[in-house]
């Protein structure tokens, strides 16, 4: 999808939210129930909540499985980060990179920090 530079900040936030919803649903089978996008001067913060699948929720009941789920999700995020950054770059009309991913499985949320290059 090609974007024009005339998108408002609100439109960009909505497009980024939709991108994350679609990306997570296509790749994990479940989209987030809540999503918040903040566009800052030098970065974008995307907080996605209620993202765990039924399988992950059941596994997490035994706290010894948390590291396993973290490892799987971190591997997935790292493998997908450049593709995700490229799609966000199109929306923002700027070169973007995924800088940090802060995951809290027990709280069922993940924060993505995407930096402007």
């Amino acid at each position: 999808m090609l974007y024009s530079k005339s998108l408002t900040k609100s439109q960009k936030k909505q497009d980024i939210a939709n991108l994350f919803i679609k990306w997570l649903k296509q790749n994990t089978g479940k989209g987030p129930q809540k999503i918040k996008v903040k566009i800052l001067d030098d970065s974008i913060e995307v907080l996605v909540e209620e993202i765990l699948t039924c399988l992950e929720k059941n596994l997490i009941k035994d706290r010894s499985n948390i590291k396993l789920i973290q490892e799987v999700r971190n591997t997935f995020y790292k493998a997908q980060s450049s593709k995700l950054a490229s799609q966000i770059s199109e929306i923002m009309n700027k070169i973007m990179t995924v800088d940090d991913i802060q995951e809290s499985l027990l709280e069922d949320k993940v924060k993505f920090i995407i930096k402007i290059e």
Side-chain angles (χ1 to χ4, degrees):
M1 177 181 290
L2 295 175
Y3 288 86
S4 71
K5 292 183 180 182
S6 62
L7 287 178
T8 65
K9 187 174 183 176
S10 178
Q11 289 169 318
K12 290 177 183 179
K13 287 170 68 172
Q14 187 61 52
D15 285 354
I16 291 168
N18 290 339
L19 170 67
F20 270 83
I21 291 166
K22 182 179 178 183
W23 172 68
L24 284 167
K25 185 154 179 75
Q26 283 179 340
N27 289 285
T28 68
K30 182 183 183 303
Q33 296 302 304
K34 297 178 186 174
I35 187 163
K36 294 177 188 172
V37 178
K38 290 183 188 177
I39 298 177
L40 307 171
D41 290 337
D42 64 345
S43 64
I44 298 169
E45 294 180 0
V46 181
L47 177 65
V48 290
E49 298 182 63
E50 298 178 41
I51 58 161
L52 295 177
T53 65
C54 289
L55 174 65
E56 290 168 327
K57 287 178 185 179
N58 283 318
L59 287 171
I60 254 179
K61 289 176 184 175
D62 178 349
R63 301 272 172 126
S64 67
N65 290 323
I66 291 174
K67 289 204 183 288
L68 172 66
I69 296 167
Q70 284 175 328
E71 187 174 329
V72 169
R73 281 199 169 258
N74 287 335
T75 300
F76 164 69
Y77 296 143
K78 286 178 186 175
Q80 293 282 314
S81 65
S82 63
K83 180 180 178 183
L84 189 60
S86 175
Q87 291 174 318
I88 295 169
S89 295
E90 286 184 35
I91 295 168
M92 296 300 294
N93 286 310
K94 297 177 181 176
I95 297 172
M96 311 291 293
T97 57
V98 176
D99 185 58
D100 192 20
I101 300 169
Q102 302 167 357
E103 186 171 50
S104 176
L105 292 176
L106 293 176
E107 295 178 16
D108 197 0
K109 63 183 178 182
V110 180
K111 180 190 269 186
F112 296 84
I113 299 173
I114 301 102
K115 293 281 187 181
I116 298 171
E117 289 285 310

